[in-house]
């Protein structure tokens, strides 16, 4: 029977000058003066706990801890191996070493590794001391110097966007070398678990489940079991899969040989529970239990989860004039992907855990994001990330770990890439949430922009597709993002990144010209809330714009020109509000343009959902988990049924997009608001049936039809109601700054206050007698308050219920606040009916 001894826990940790050996690997070395450090873990977190570095996220403190990257870090651990393990095969497993590692056991060097994403397994059967204590020592070389040593002196070459040229030559998370949204911070540590695995005869080394076909009545799947045997023997393999009332069972005889062998089993599952993406059905997951039995005893067993679902990437179809499309089919159903790019949620990666992931991913799901793109310059995330995406039905476009550069192609580097890709794909391939493997982020786009022409690098066109075809043929592979057409960023083929807006300073309205088949990156910067800025900026650096803003990656010279269509920021509050409004309108414009062209465009993913540290950048949810205005605009634009008005050449086109898999009856109401008196001047109501899974132009109106005589004095509000749910969209016919919104006054009520975790939830009713623009509900105190809707417009006399969750509250009373673009703040003090 297999036994696992966890070597996670408290290790010893200390730093030494780069390359200096003082016998730290020896058994008799005195480490009593070293720090205690948690494994899995990372060095910066340990140093923070001991007060040896300042918070690197506050102000410009990150510069002060650069020494951490320029010294070697040594870990040591003393552990006991029982006598009864003698005679078994014993394997030492490091699931993740960050990054340039040498490992000693009892003073003997046993392994080296230079890839953050490759686990290592070492047979230590003959090296352990049984019935005694053993000493592990791990040297993690200074990450900055080890990087430079591998890169050599190529700094004069044009090799990349973002970070140091040297990052291209090492297999460490690329964003850590600095990006245009994160400061350079090279982590170092034993960042994933360590264990000793011992067994007598054979071990189940891998289980992989591949869906071959699905229908409502039956699914055909293939289960692959990999067994590493040290004996010749007859054996029995038992496989049980269960999901609710769906169950299957396999029992098969095996003949084991002294080898690593692969065994395949075809299984029919009657009336299967299918895994569906968010919004299309339940993301059902099967629990799979596998037992290896030798001589009537369980020699090993394995438990995993998987989903029954098929995935297809469609790139050629008749929806477009040139026959080029880019959309996914899940279980043979066409899916329009709505979501964002995901980057590592913390520069200090040891802070990531299930609670952090779950808070962010549930927020994404509540925000109608059915896809996240795991960006290529980031992490292969911890297991909990993928587990939660499986559970929530969030599809993952998963880049492999390359970004924005011209990578080496020597044989040693390509072998390292191959091994890394195999490790990543084998580890993650049972997660149904992953629907695409993509070679990289913007490598071919960089080559083309840098004058290399239309390149086909070996990594993306030979190494990685070969690995995917062998290790995971159940999923499509795409060589790069973006890729397709006459250049890698062609809007007429493949996927596309639109950075003409923002980087190229094109107007937001240019999104309406984008015919992307799949828009996988676009975005706009916005400041976070002032309560967030107070957490990471010194008080005297809040306002005006200063070097601290730039250090935290705000780029005012790109944002301010867009603000001019919305207003002039005279103080911090206005700058925050206007930058958020610019971001919100940019996201809304691009998203709706893609959704109106449904399946001519197969999806839209903005940049970015989250932030890895407290910055002032593109994310819609800040580092602390507080959504910006843009999150709520995206949430509404991603609703399953939306109304999307488009004004051009004096005509208002009214589109309705239906993501439901059945026709829907809906009631459309158009309300014309005369801003001179803030009253509605005209209301039109009509009934429509919208076909399933479609986008439809339902009606056109001239301005005269709607009694609009001056576009600077009127706006139009569109409501569509179906099955008791209403989606609202507001159309401005001219620039926001050219509209004069007379002052409104908000009312505020609170009810249904309930304890929830370490905070509370409540319902807030906010109303206005006049038209209120961009109503925001929050708490005055510096707590994270997340509303189910926010920054919405209210019609004259309208009231709206908003549900709010407030986290980590340590008070007996709080102040609710409501404000709007054209309304002063209204306060309501509430007492909490429970102790915190």
């Amino acid at each position: 029977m297999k036994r696992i001894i966890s070597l996670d826990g408290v290790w010893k940790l200390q730093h030494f000058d780069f390359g200096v050996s003082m016998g730290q690997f020896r058994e008799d070395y005195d480490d009593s003066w070293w720090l205690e450090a948690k494994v899995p873990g990372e060095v910066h977190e340990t140093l923070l706990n001991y007060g040896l570095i300042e918070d690197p996220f506050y102000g410009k403190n990150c510069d002060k801890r650069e020494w951490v990257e320029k010294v070697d870090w040594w870990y040591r651990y003393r552990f006991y191996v029982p006598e009864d393990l003698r005679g078994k095969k014993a394997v030492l497993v490091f699931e993740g070493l960050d990054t340039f590692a040498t490992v000693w056991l009892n003073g003997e060097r046993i392994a080296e590794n230079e890839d953050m994403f490759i686990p290592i397994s070492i047979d230590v059967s003959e090296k352990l001391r049984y019935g005694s204590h053993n000493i592990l020592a791990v040297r993690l070389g200074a990450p900055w110097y080890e990087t430079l040593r591998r890169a050599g002196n190529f700094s004069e070459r044009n090799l990349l966007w973002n970070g140091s040229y040297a990052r291209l030559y090492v297999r460490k998370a690329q964003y850590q070398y600095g990006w245009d949204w994160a400061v350079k911070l090279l982590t170092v540590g034993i960042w994933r678990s360590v264990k000793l695995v011992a067994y007598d005869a054979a071990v189940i080394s891998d289980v992989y489940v591949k869906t071959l076909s699905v229908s409502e009545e039956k699914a055909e799947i293939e289960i692959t079991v990999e067994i590493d045997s040290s004996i010749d023997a007859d054996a029995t393999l038992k496989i049980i899969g269960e999901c609710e009332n769906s169950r299957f069972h396999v029992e098969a005889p095996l003949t084991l040989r002294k080898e690593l062998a692969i065994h395949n089993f075809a299984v029919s599952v009657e009336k299967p529970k299918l895994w569906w993406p968010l919004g299309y059905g339940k993301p059902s997951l099967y629990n799979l239990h596998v037992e290896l039995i030798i001589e009537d005893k369980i020699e090993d067993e394995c438990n995993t989860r998987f989903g029954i679902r098929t995935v297809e990437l469609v790139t050629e179809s008749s929806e477009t004039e040139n026959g080029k499309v880019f959309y996914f089919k899940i279980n043979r159903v066409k899916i329009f992907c709505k979501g964002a790019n995901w980057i590592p949620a913390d520069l200090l990666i040891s802070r990531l855990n299930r609670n952090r992931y779950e808070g962010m991913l549930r927020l994404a799901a509540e925000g109608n994001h059915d896809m996240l793109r795991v960006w290529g310059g980031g992490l292969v995330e911890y297991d909990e990330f993928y587990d939660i995406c499986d559970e929530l039905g969030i599809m993952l476009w998963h880049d492999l770990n390359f970004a924005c550069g011209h990578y080496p192609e020597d044989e040693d580097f390509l072998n390292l890439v191959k091994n890394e890709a195999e490790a990543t794909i084998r580890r993650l391939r049972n997660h149904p949430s992953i629907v695409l493997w993509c070679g990289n982020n913007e490598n071919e786009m960089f080559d083309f922009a840098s004058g290399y022409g239309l390149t086909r690098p070996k990594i993306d066109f030979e190494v990685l597709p070969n690995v995917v075809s062998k290790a995971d043929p159940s999923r499509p592979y795409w060589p790069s993002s973006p890729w397709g057409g006459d250049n890698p960023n062609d809007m007429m083929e493949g996927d596309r990144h639109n950075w003409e807006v923002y980087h190229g300073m094109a107007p937001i309205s240019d999104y309406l010209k984008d015919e992307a088949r799949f828009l996988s990156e676009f975005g706009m910067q916005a400041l976070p809330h002032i309560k967030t800025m107070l957490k990471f900026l010194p008080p005297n650096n809040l306002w005006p714009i200063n070097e601290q803003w730039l250090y935290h990656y705000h780029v005012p010279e790109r944002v301010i020109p867009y603000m001019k269509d919305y207003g002039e920021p005279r103080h911090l509050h206005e700058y925050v509000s206007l930058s958020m409004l610019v971001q919100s309108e940019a996201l809304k414009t691009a998203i709706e343009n893609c959704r109106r062209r449904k399946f001519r465009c197969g999806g839209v993913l903005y940049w970015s959902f989250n932030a890895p540290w407290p910055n002032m950048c593109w994310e819609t949810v800040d580092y602390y988990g507080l959504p910006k205005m843009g999150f709520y605009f995206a949430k509404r634009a991603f609703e399953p049924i939306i109304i999307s008005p488009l004004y051009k050449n004096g005509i208002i086109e009214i589109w309705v997009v239906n993501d439901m898999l059945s026709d829907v009856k809906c009631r459309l109401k158009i309300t014309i608001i005369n801003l001179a008196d803030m009253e509605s001047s005209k209301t039109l109501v009509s009934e429509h049936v919208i076909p399933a899974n479609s986008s439809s132009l339902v009606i056109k109106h001239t301005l005269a039809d709607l009694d609009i005589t001056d576009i600077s004095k009127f706006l139009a509000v569109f409501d569509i109601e179906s099955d008791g749910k209403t989606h609202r969209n507001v159309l401005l016919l001219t620039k926001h700054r050219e509209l004069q919104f007379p002052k409104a006054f908000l009312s505020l009520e609170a009810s249904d206050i309930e304890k929830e975790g370490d905070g509370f939830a409540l319902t807030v009713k906010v109303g206005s007698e006049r038209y209120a623009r961009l109503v925001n509900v929050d708490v005055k105190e510096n707590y994270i308050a997340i509303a189910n809707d926010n920054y919405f417009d209210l019609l004259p006399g309208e009231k709206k219920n908003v549900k709010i969750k407030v986290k980590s509250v340590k008070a007996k009373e709080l102040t609710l606040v409501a404000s709007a673009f054209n309304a002063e703040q209204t306060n309501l003090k509430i007492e909490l009916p429970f102790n915190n």
Side-chain angles (χ1 to χ4, degrees), residues 340-392:
N341 285 261
W342 173 274
I343 53 181
D346 209 308
L347 294 183
L348 301 181
I349 58 177
S350 60
R351 291 178 172 178
L352 296 172
N353 54 41
R354 185 175 177 94
N355 286 340
R356 284 283 298 279
Y357 281 136
E358 190 157 20
M360 296 294 286
L361 292 172
R362 286 198 177 278
L363 189 59
E366 291 165 5
N368 301 310
H369 296 59
D370 63 22
M371 174 178 273
L372 294 173
R373 174 177 171 239
V374 181
W375 172 76
L379 287 176
V380 180
E381 300 284 347
Y382 292 95
D383 293 340
E384 291 85 352
F385 173 83
Y386 303 98
D387 291 340
I388 296 166
C389 288
D390 291 345
E391 294 159 10
L392 295 175

Side-chain angles (χ1 to χ4, degrees), residues 722-790:
S722 176
D723 196 26
K725 297 179 181 179
T726 300
H727 174 265
R728 171 169 291 175
N729 207 332
V730 177
L731 177 64
L732 307 186
L733 301 168
T734 189
K735 293 178 180 179
H736 195 279
R737 70 175 300 155
E738 295 174 358
L739 297 172
Q740 298 297 318
F741 292 90
K743 183 169 288 190
F745 300 92
L746 302 177
S747 61
L748 198 57
E749 304 172 44
S751 62
D752 303 328
I753 303 174
E754 296 180 349
K755 181 81 171 172
E756 186 169 293
D758 60 356
F760 69 95
L762 77 161
T763 298
V764 176
K765 180 179 287 186
V766 59
S768 176
E769 291 304 312
R770 310 181 91 182
Y771 189 90
R773 175 72 173 147
L774 300 173
V775 177
N776 173 41
V777 182
D778 199 355
V779 295
K780 185 176 181 180
E781 294 77 10
N782 200 351
Y783 294 116
I784 301 293
I786 299 176
N788 68 332
D789 196 11
N790 228 336

Side-chain angles (χ1 to χ4, degrees), residues 406 443-445 447-448 452-457 461 483 488:
H406 195 79
N443 287 357
E444 282 76 350
M445 181 180 174
D447 283 352
F448 193 85
Y452 292 104
L454 193 62
T455 59
R456 298 174 70 86
F461 288 87
W483 174 256

Side-chain angles (χ1 to χ4, degrees), residues 1 87-89 199-203 227-236 254-261 263 292-300:
M1 182 71 176
K88 296 179 182 289
K89 184 171 182 177
Y199 61 94
D200 288 312
V203 65
I227 297 174
D228 189 0
S229 178
S230 58
I231 63 169
D232 295 336
D234 292 328
T236 301
L254 300 177
T255 299
L256 301 180
R257 295 289 180 259
K258 295 178 182 178
E259 62 183 6
L260 181 68
H263 306 271
L292 176 63
I293 300 171
I294 300 176
E295 295 181 352
D296 297 326
K297 295 180 180 179
I298 298 175
E299 178 64 22
D300 194 13

